[in-house]
Amino acid sequence: MDGDDRTRAAKWTRADVEALMAAPFAELVFRAAEVHRENFNPNEVQASRLLSIKTGGCPEDCGYCSQSAKFDTGLKASKLMDRDAVVATAKRAQEEGASRFCMGAAWRSPKTRDMDELCAMVGEVKALGLETCMTLGMLSDAQAKQLSEAGLDYYNHNIDTSPEYYDRIVSTRTFEDRIDTLEKVRASGMKVCCGGIVGMGEAPEDRVGFLLVLANMTPPPESVPINALMPIEGTPLGASEPIGALDFVRMIAVARILMPTSYVRLSAGREDMSEEAQALSFLAGANSIFVGDELLTTNNPGQAKDAALFETLGVTLI
Ligand code: SAM
Ligand code: DTB
Ligand code: SF4
């Protein structure tokens, strides 16, 4: 596709993405690395820290999730965390090198009565000098506006997979519902964090369809988390076949080429990934990670292992 075509219709066609997915591995990674260094310092990786501010008991039935009330995963549900405890955790995360603090809640959508407290949390975390991100489920226009006015920098809301595969993973909402909230977030002025999960039994065409939707958002999400499924016992996807490391790197490389100026996050799944696979992911254009020893309810490599890896790679966390 030439430049003129791209300004007329969707930027990328399915054929473009299929061609990248089918490219020889070395050629693909080389091209992704070129795009990466044209737009970013390849020796810097952005560090975000997650905190589950409201865990478990979620009414949705996302087939991958430990926090759905519909599956028996043994996770204990808890209420919205106390604001002081959230701010104290954010402060520790900042001291340990995180530049963005991401607060996640196991809700279908936030309740009106929680909004003031959530906005106050945003204000206090931001006052520490951290970038702020929340992921709270679906939002109304008014809620997106309130969070934006409170100073929330990013809202995370993943499309998770292709439109075609979506109803095999979740039945309590539609792909369109996700897009509706993403449009509200964009209209509110907040930055968009949107990606998904690989290793959920999706077909190659679903990986294509997933990246195609992200890349044709106008503008594309500023932050694109690519998660490798963390298999959770008791969920429908608990026994999924893990994605191969090189297939994961291919997803990162294609995401980098399709969305040259977005931060592509090597997100969940680092715990089970070799240092070599992580290094290849950074070479292929991943430039953001979650730091700390926990994600929301599962494990992450933690500071000691990461410090050793980034020292070896000569990478600075920013
Ligand atoms: N309830 C909100 C929602 O679904 O938007 C926010 C929290 S939810 C846990 C945020 C994202 O985490 C999901 O969209 C999904 O992409 C990711 N996630 C959840 N469980 C996961 C798992 N087991 N492995 C990998 N990613 C997961
Ligand atoms: C995203 O894409 N990944 C993060 C964040 N956005 C909210 C969540 C990963 C969760 C992994 C499973 C867990 O810890 O429960
Ligand atoms: Fe609920 Fe979010 Fe988990 Fe889905 S991914 S069950 S909406 S917490």
Side-chain angles (χ1 to χ4, degrees):
M1 178 190 275
D2 65 30
D4 286 348
D5 285 339
R6 266 182 213 152
T7 49
R8 255 182 267 128
K11 258 197 328 208
W12 298 97
T13 66
R14 181 169 285 272
D16 292 332
V17 183
E18 282 169 353
L20 289 170
M21 282 292 200
F25 186 80
E27 210 163 293
L28 176 71
V29 171
F30 181 76
R31 185 156 159 217
E34 273 184 332
V35 172
H36 187 199
R37 61 184 51 232
E38 278 161 19
N39 293 283
F40 292 97
N41 177 340
N43 305 314
E44 287 179 352
V45 169
Q46 189 279 330
S48 291
R49 173 73 209 224
L50 269 170
L51 175 67
S52 181
I53 59 170
K54 195 274 159 209
T55 303
C58 184
E60 304 272 47
D61 68 352
C62 312
Y64 47 76
C65 188
S66 61
Q67 305 199 67
S68 167
K70 315 252 184 199
F71 317 130
D72 185 6
T73 64
L75 187 77
K76 200 171 156 289
S78 56
K79 291 201 301 239
L80 181 62
M81 261 176 86
D82 179 68
R83 198 194 318 160
D84 291 342
V86 172
V87 176
T89 309
K91 202 157 188 285
R92 274 201 307 278
Q94 186 178 35
E95 285 159 6
E96 288 171 14
S99 59
R100 187 178 311 159
F101 193 64
C102 307
M103 294 159 268
W107 285 324
R108 174 172 166 84
S109 49
K111 302 267 183 305
T112 305
R113 63 164 187 268
D114 290 319
M115 290 307 294
D116 286 345
E117 184 59 16
L118 293 166
C119 289
M121 259 178 211
V122 170
E124 289 192 28
V125 172
K126 207 177 161 73
L128 298 173
L130 281 160
E131 287 188 310
T132 51
C133 178
M134 279 184 167
T135 180
L136 314 168
M138 293 186 257
L139 297 181
S140 67
D141 278 313
Q143 289 173 328
K145 190 159 175 278
Q146 263 177 291
L147 292 168
S148 178
E149 281 169 2
L152 188 63
D153 297 299
Y154 288 82
Y155 195 76
N156 166 252
H157 201 65
N158 290 342
I159 58 168
D160 279 331
T161 187
S162 69
E164 295 74 25
Y165 196 54
Y166 197 76
D167 65 4
R168 297 277 304 276
I169 303 296
V170 189
S171 80
T172 49
R173 56 169 192 261
T174 64
F175 193 84
E176 258 324 295
D177 290 330
R178 291 310 258 191
I179 300 290
D180 280 353
T181 292
L182 288 163
E183 284 171 355
K184 289 170 187 164
V185 169
R186 183 54 85 195
S188 77
M190 288 188 283
K191 291 184 195 151
V192 173
C193 173
C194 182
I197 309 178
V198 285
M200 300 195 293
E202 69 282 351
E205 59 265 30
D206 294 312
R207 293 187 187 157
V208 169
F210 159 62
L211 291 178
L212 185 63
V213 171
L214 292 174
N216 281 333
M217 288 179 180
T218 36
E222 283 80 2
S223 166
V224 179
I226 306 289
N227 299 276
L229 177 72
M230 303 289 286
I232 311 285
E233 223 183 294
T235 63
L237 295 171
S240 303
E241 190 64 31
I243 182 170
L246 298 182
D247 285 339
F248 186 86
V249 174
R250 189 174 281 279
M251 288 298 288
I252 297 278
V254 177
R256 166 53 63 222
I257 294 167
L258 296 175
M259 294 170 278
T261 60
S262 301
Y263 279 84
V264 176
R265 181 172 310 126
L266 166 49
S267 204
R270 289 202 301 122
E271 176 76 351
D272 301 317
M273 218 176 266
S274 69
E275 289 197 335
E276 292 81 357
Q278 293 186 60
L280 261 182
S281 299
F282 299 127
L283 175 66
N287 61 347
S288 174
I289 56 163
F290 286 121
V291 292
D293 51 16
E294 287 187 307
L295 296 167
L296 291 173
T297 68
T298 62
N299 295 337
N300 199 43
Q303 217 195 359
K305 271 195 206 157
D306 279 347
L309 173 63
F310 292 115
E311 165 80 23
T312 307
L313 298 178
V315 161
T316 308
L317 288 180
I318 59 167

